[in-house]
Amino acid sequence: MILELDCGNSFIKWRVLELDKAHVFAEGVVGSDIALIESLLALASLTLKHCRLVSVRASEETSELVAALVDTFGVAVVCAASSRQMAGVRNGYEDFERLGLDRWLAMLGGFQLASGACLVLDFGTAATADFIAADGEHLGGFICPGMPLMRNQLRTHTRKIRYDDVSAERALECLVPGRTTVEAVERGCTLMLRGFVLTQLELARSYWGSDFSVFLTGGDAELISDAVPGARLVPDLVFVGLAMACPLS
């Protein structure tokens, strides 16, 4: 079995694949290294042979997780690394190592699935957009706060904004003007994300007309999926790129 990890700023997304790589044995999202280990140990018939991961965390944090995986499961761990060019995609950053690894892998996955120009939109702690031309040239991208950051900033700096996650979920059942604070905040932040998306689409059309694919990924991608009817929602797009960056024999 193969353990794949996407270690983000807030959560660790994980999945276990059968060795034929065609079947997901188990998957989940956790908030800590300890929770990850516990989730894996709770799986019956788990026999890990390989592990590959991508991490945007500090190198010390990543090293601690790798050590814990090696100690607990005796598995070799391969970590994705930055590169100037891979799988036909050319990193567009002036300092290619400064491009977030999760963005890089999502671009690799999107370009492979599109077989042409594509716009990759990722909605996690931050919201990101990346433009990849048909020849594989990364034209650059944008980063703005995602739903978690916008929500938490308002909660932190505005004393009267207090509500729970259940209330937040209910507030997003529609997007009419809010009549409570939770509705106003959640719907306002969602509309900001939608505005971000529509701007990226306009820019992509100025580059490529209608000849491009749009990919949506990340934990909050479904919040704006109906605003881009032709987009492909690919929750595991980073894992598609991870398999390309870290092939296992």
Side-chain angles (χ1 to χ4, degrees):
M1 294 178 177
I2 301 170
L3 172 63
E4 296 185 325
L5 303 175
D6 177 5
C7 306
N9 292 299
S10 303
F11 299 100
I12 300 174
K13 185 175 183 180
W14 63 271
R15 71 179 188 179
V16 176
L17 302 179
E18 300 285 3
L19 281 175
D20 60 10
K21 306 178 185 179
H23 174 67
V24 177
F25 174 77
E27 60 186 342
V29 178
V30 294
S32 68
D33 295 0
I34 293 175
L36 171 66
I37 299 296
E38 291 176 346
S39 296
L40 294 172
L41 289 174
L43 296 175
S45 305
L46 181 69
T47 54
L48 293 180
K49 298 296 184 182
H50 305 280
C51 175
R52 56 190 170 206
L53 68 81
V54 54
S55 175
V56 298
R57 300 180 170 193
S59 57
E60 294 81 4
E61 292 180 90
T62 303
S63 296
E64 289 176 1
L65 174 57
V66 169
L69 291 170
V70 172
D71 183 59
T72 305
F73 301 104
V75 63
V77 181
V78 179
C79 300
S82 300
S83 60
R84 172 62 68 187
Q85 181 170 334
M86 181 175 290
V89 180
R90 294 183 297 282
N91 193 316
Y93 262 31
E94 294 178 3
D95 181 356
F96 73 90
E97 293 181 328
R98 298 291 293 176
L99 176 67
L101 275 173
D102 51 348
R103 287 173 62 194
W104 174 237
L105 296 185
M107 286 193 291
L108 294 181
F111 187 72
Q112 182 189 57
L113 295 176
S115 299
C118 61
L119 169 61
V120 177
L121 300 168
D122 193 337
F123 300 94
T125 303
T128 64
D130 283 290
F131 299 78
I132 305 94
D135 64 357
E137 184 71 26
H138 174 221
L139 305 181
F142 297 96
I143 304 173
C144 76
M147 281 292 287
L149 283 178
M150 287 192 284
R151 180 188 295 125
N152 290 339
Q153 283 298 301
L154 285 170
R155 284 177 170 176
T156 300
H157 297 288
T158 308
R159 290 184 179 180
K160 293 187 177 181
I161 294 180
R162 296 288 185 274
Y163 55 83
D164 57 31
D165 292 339
V166 173
S167 299
E169 185 174 344
R170 289 175 180 167
L172 291 173
E173 292 176 354
C174 67
L175 290 176
V176 300
R179 297 173 65 89
T180 64
T181 298
V182 60
E183 290 177 351
V185 169
E186 291 297 314
R187 295 172 188 176
C189 291
T190 299
L191 290 175
M192 287 190 72
L193 278 188
R194 287 174 173 239
F196 174 78
V197 169
L198 294 177
T199 302
Q200 309 314 309
L201 291 172
E202 289 180 7
L203 184 54
R205 292 188 189 105
S206 74
Y207 286 145
W208 307 308
S210 61
D211 190 18
F212 66 95
S213 301
V214 181
F215 294 94
L216 307 178
T217 191
D220 288 319
E222 290 188 3
L223 290 178
I224 51 83
S225 59
D226 62 335
V228 195
R232 295 176 62 180
L233 181 61
V234 187
D236 294 329
L237 190 59
V238 169
F239 285 144
V240 175
L242 179 61
M244 299 165 65
C246 302
L248 299 171
S249 56

